[in-house]
């Protein structure tokens, strides 16, 4: 009886063990089935579990890749280009200064000595050609205007005498000699009036200003210098205003003494504002014929082609001069470069039927072109490979989003 009970116990133990084994197999297979996600167009696919592999291919396989169709690429604004060979021109920066174009500058002075009655403009004010800048009372001008009045009155009297003698001569009453004398006096009075008017006109004064002389702007521009106040007595040799046309500035700099860069007349160059980092254009106008005695360098002057509100005389800038012609290297658009896991990568495109796979390939970068368009590729890519030239940042964002979702 005791042996029979022992056999029954072993039987039930074996049954329990068998049931546990079956349940373990079912649970294992079920968990493996759930771990395989369904793949759809445009979803992030996970390849591998280890990052930071030794080769570029292993790195690409160890990271996520994106698969998009043509419609999705259009929605994302993805554009492709081919890795090509070309120049990555690099420029060097040299100090320069903006100066006033003296060919477009006006110095305003008074033609007379006198007292300042009023000033109508402020320093830095924009003025138009012919606009009144100031009014000056000129004692000498009073005399000139008085002389004109006297000459005009003499002309009127001479004209009356001439008309009377002409009438008498026509009637045969007056002698020709009297008529001729009246005519000569009349003509002399006309000449006197014309001369007085010419003197006032040459001095820029009007006939009825009562000794007031107005200073007017000779051209459109900005009042860059002003040395005049109400009530002061000015002389004819004092400079009262300087008007500059700030939309026609010059760029002045010293050419480096080495032969790393070369410039020539009419060459278009670029310069950068130190305050805003904005890039502007200028054209070489003149190169000094003789080198500076102390530095042995040539002074260069260029005409600013892209005027802006921020550009002012005496502003320090950096002129960007291209060096010697660069050698042909592998290059991609700078916008294609992204940073993933601390590495510079370029998304390489691979077509497969109606879909395009995008893999982030790590690259070694060289120089960037001075215009910010190109980046030199020292290693990681080959000529002719298709890469994402526009929209790579969106691909990076989608990849990071996929990693975050996978992490949860």
């Amino acid at each position: 009886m005791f042996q029979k009970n022992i056999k029954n116990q072993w039987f039930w133990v074996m049954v329990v063990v068998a049931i546990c084994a079956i349940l373990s197999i079912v649970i294992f297979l079920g968990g493996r089935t759930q771990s395989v996600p369904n793949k759809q167009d445009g979803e992030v696919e996970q390849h591998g579990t280890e990052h930071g592999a030794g080769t570029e291919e292993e790195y690409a396989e160890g990271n996520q890749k994106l698969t998009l169709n043509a419609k999705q690429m259009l929605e994302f604004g993805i554009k492709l280009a081919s890795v090509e060979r070309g120049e990555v021109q690099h420029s060097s920066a040299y100090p320069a200064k903006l100066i006033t174009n003296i060919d477009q500058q006006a110095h305003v002075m008074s033609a007379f000595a006198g007292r300042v009655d009023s000033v109508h403009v402020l320093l830095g004010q924009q003025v138009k050609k012919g606009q009144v800048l100031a009014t000056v009372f000129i004692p000498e001008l009073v005399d000139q205007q008085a002389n004109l009045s006297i000459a005009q009155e003499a002309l009127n009297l001479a004209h009356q005498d001439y008309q009377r003698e002409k009438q008498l001569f026509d009637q045969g009453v007056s002698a020709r000699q009297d008529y001729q004398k009246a005519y000569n006096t009349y003509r002399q009075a006309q000449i006197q009036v014309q001369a007085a008017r010419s003197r006032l006109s040459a001095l820029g004064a009007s006939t009825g200003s009562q000794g007031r002389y107005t200073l007017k702007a000779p051209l459109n521009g900005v009042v860059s210098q002003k040395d005049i106040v109400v009530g002061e007595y000015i002389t004819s040799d004092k400079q009262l205003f300087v008007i500059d046309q700030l939309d026609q500035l010059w760029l002045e700099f010293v050419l480096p003494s080495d032969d790393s860069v070369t410039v020539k007349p009419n060459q278009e160059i670029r310069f950068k504002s130190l305050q805003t980092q904005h890039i502007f254009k200028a054209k070489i106008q003149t190169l000094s014929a003789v080198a500076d005695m102390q530095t042995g360098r040539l002074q260069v002057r260029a005409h600013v082609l892209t005027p802006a509100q921020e550009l002012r005389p005496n502003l320090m800038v950096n002129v960007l001069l291209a060096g010697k012609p660069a050698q042909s290297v592998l290059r991609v658009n700078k916008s294609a470069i992204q940073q993933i896991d601390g590495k510079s990568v370029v998304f390489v495109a691979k077509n497969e039927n109606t879909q395009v796979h995008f893999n982030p390939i790590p690259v070694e970068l060289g120089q960037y072109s001075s215009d910010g368009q190109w980046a030199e590729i020292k290693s990681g890519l080959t000529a002719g490979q298709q890469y994402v030239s526009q929209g790579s940042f969106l691909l990076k964002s989608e990849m990071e989003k996929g990693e975050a979702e996978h992490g949860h």
Side-chain angles (χ1 to χ4, degrees):
M1 188 69 179
F2 177 75
Q3 291 179 350
K4 184 177 180 180
N5 290 335
I6 293 177
K7 290 180 179 181
N8 289 337
Q9 291 178 356
W10 277 107
F11 172 77
W12 287 111
V13 169
M14 294 299 293
V15 170
V16 171
V17 171
I19 292 173
C20 291
I22 293 172
L23 290 176
S24 299
I25 293 173
V26 171
I27 293 172
F28 174 77
L29 292 178
R32 183 176 181 181
T33 302
Q34 293 178 355
S35 65
V36 180
N38 294 327
K39 299 177 183 178
Q40 299 178 358
D41 291 347
E43 291 185 346
V44 177
E45 300 179 0
Q46 182 73 25
H47 292 266
T49 58
E50 296 293 332
H51 295 280
T55 65
E56 297 166 3
E57 291 79 4
E58 290 173 351
Y59 178 86
E61 290 297 329
N63 280 272
Q64 294 177 339
K65 73 175 182 179
L66 294 174
T67 300
L68 303 176
N69 56 33
K71 181 180 179 182
Q72 291 168 330
M73 289 177 60
L74 184 62
E75 293 175 352
F76 276 97
I78 304 297
K79 291 185 179 180
L80 304 181
S82 297
V83 181
E84 62 180 6
R85 300 194 70 87
E87 293 183 357
V88 179
Q89 188 70 52
H90 183 69
S91 299
S92 299
Y94 300 93
K97 183 174 70 171
L98 294 177
I99 62 174
T100 301
N101 183 349
I102 59 176
D103 292 337
Q104 300 295 331
Q105 185 183 68
H107 295 186
V108 181
M109 297 183 292
S110 174
F112 306 94
R115 186 187 73 252
V116 179
D117 265 3
S118 59
V119 179
H120 303 282
V121 295
L122 302 174
L123 186 64
Q125 180 178 334
Q126 187 84 27
V127 295
K128 299 290 185 181
K129 181 178 180 180
Q131 181 175 340
V132 176
L133 306 177
T135 303
V136 183
F137 176 74
I138 311 294
E140 181 184 351
L141 185 58
V142 176
D143 295 337
Q144 293 285 350
Q145 291 172 337
N147 292 335
L148 175 60
S149 298
I150 295 173
Q152 185 67 52
E153 188 62 29
L155 175 62
N156 293 336
L157 295 175
H159 183 259
Q160 293 175 6
D161 291 341
Y162 167 68
Q163 290 293 337
R164 184 175 61 254
E165 290 295 332
K166 184 177 185 301
Q167 184 178 8
L168 294 174
F169 176 74
D170 293 340
Q171 294 174 357
V173 176
S174 177
R176 177 178 289 275
Q177 183 178 0
D178 294 335
Y179 167 72
Q180 190 66 40
K181 182 179 179 181
Y183 175 76
N184 291 339
T185 303
Y186 171 60
R187 286 296 299 153
Q188 290 177 1
Q190 284 183 321
I191 294 173
Q192 291 294 331
V193 170
Q194 185 177 359
R197 288 183 183 275
S198 297
R199 283 193 294 270
L200 289 175
S201 177
L203 296 172
S206 61
T207 58
S209 63
Q210 298 180 349
R212 266 67 182 180
Y213 177 69
T214 57
L215 301 174
K216 297 181 180 180
L219 48 76
N220 298 336
V222 175
V223 180
S224 58
Q225 295 182 37
K226 172 177 170 287
D227 187 12
I228 181 173
V229 294
V230 175
E232 73 168 320
Y233 188 85
I234 60 173
T235 57
S236 59
D237 59 348
K238 180 181 180 182
Q239 180 175 283
L240 305 176
F241 298 95
V242 175
I243 300 177
D244 291 314
Q245 292 187 331
L246 299 184
D247 58 343
Q248 299 186 32
L249 294 176
W250 281 343
L251 176 71
E252 197 172 65
F253 62 96
V254 175
L255 193 66
S257 56
D258 55 20
D259 59 351
S260 59
V261 295
T262 57
V263 296
K264 56 185 179 181
N266 298 323
Q267 176 183 340
E268 191 171 294
I269 59 176
R270 299 178 305 120
F271 65 95
K272 179 171 63 174
S273 170
L274 299 180
Q275 284 74 26
T276 63
Q277 305 301 311
H278 292 162
I279 302 295
F280 303 93
K281 293 182 180 180
K283 180 180 286 187
I284 299 295
Q285 186 173 1
T286 59
L287 284 79
S288 54
V290 182
D292 184 81
M293 296 182 61
Q294 296 181 349
T295 63
R297 299 180 179 181
L298 294 177
Q299 188 176 56
V300 183
R301 179 175 292 168
H303 175 65
V304 176
L305 299 178
T306 51
Q309 192 69 25
E310 65 185 86
L311 300 181
R312 287 289 184 269
N314 299 320
L315 183 69
M316 298 303 297
V317 297
N318 276 341
V319 60
L320 306 176
L321 300 179
K324 294 181 178 180
Q327 296 181 348
S328 180
V329 296
L330 278 181
R331 67 181 188 180
V332 297
N333 284 81
K334 184 181 177 181
S335 58
I337 307 297
Q338 297 295 333
Q339 295 292 322
I340 298 180
D341 296 337
K343 297 178 181 291
S344 297
V345 302
V346 173
F347 283 91
V348 173
K350 183 178 181 181
N351 295 310
E352 184 177 336
N353 297 327
T354 60
Q355 296 181 333
V356 182
H357 301 290
F358 299 97
N359 290 325
I361 302 299
V363 294
E364 181 183 357
L365 300 176
Q367 288 188 335
Y368 290 100
S369 62
S370 299
D371 59 5
Q373 182 179 0
W374 301 104
E376 178 186 359
I377 301 297
K378 289 188 174 181
S379 64
L381 301 177
T382 57
Q385 279 186 297
Q386 278 196 320
Y387 70 95
V388 178
S389 61
Q390 183 175 324
S392 59
F393 181 76
L394 293 175
L395 292 181
K396 174 187 174 182
S397 299
E398 286 295 315
M399 180 171 291
E400 292 174 345
K401 186 194 302 183
E403 289 179 350
E405 295 175 354
H406 182 73
H408 291 291

